[in-house]
Amino acid sequence: WVPPTDATLQDANTVVAMTYADVLPVFQQYCGRCHGGGRAQKNLNTLNYDALMGSNTVRPGDSARSILVNAMRTGAMPKGGSMPAAEIDKIAKWVDDGAKP
């Protein structure tokens, strides 16, 4: 995993935990068409933090056991397309960092 170019450093060796704002562009590009706004298929809205966290698909601190990350890693999502590994890694890092707002 490579920190985003706009990541803020706490010190020379520590990157601040990722937030939802860091991953929202990924959700907008790859998920929002089916899981955003009025089109929240399967009651999953990735474009709204509270709705996403209420879906029980994200397990803060544990991307390996998060339904959302596993669906991306296995290629089950996004339907009919693919997502670059770097973008999936970014979502996983956010989840592992605690899935903060």
Side-chain angles (χ1 to χ4, degrees):
W1 176 82
V2 176
T5 56
D6 59 347
T8 305
L9 297 179
Q10 288 179 332
D11 60 46
N13 299 314
T14 307
V15 176
V16 174
M18 292 183 71
T19 66
Y20 180 71
D22 296 319
V23 295
L24 181 57
V26 178
F27 288 136
Q28 289 170 326
Q29 182 173 356
Y30 295 98
C31 311
R33 189 177 62 136
C34 298
H35 298 287
R39 298 181 188 175
Q41 292 180 14
K42 305 276 185 180
N43 292 320
L44 176 61
N45 184 347
T46 59
L47 303 185
N48 178 289
Y49 176 80
D50 292 328
L52 176 59
M53 298 310 291
S55 71
N56 296 317
T57 62
V58 175
R59 188 173 205 145
D62 192 356
S63 65
R65 294 177 54 195
S66 290
I67 295 167
L68 180 72
V69 175
N70 285 324
M72 294 172 180
R73 289 211 188 276
T74 62
M77 289 291 144
K79 288 276 188 205
S82 63
M83 187 179 225
E87 300 292 41
I88 297 168
D89 289 345
K90 186 183 282 189
I91 300 288
K93 174 75 168 101
W94 167 68
V95 172
D96 287 335
D97 283 352
K100 307 237 185 273

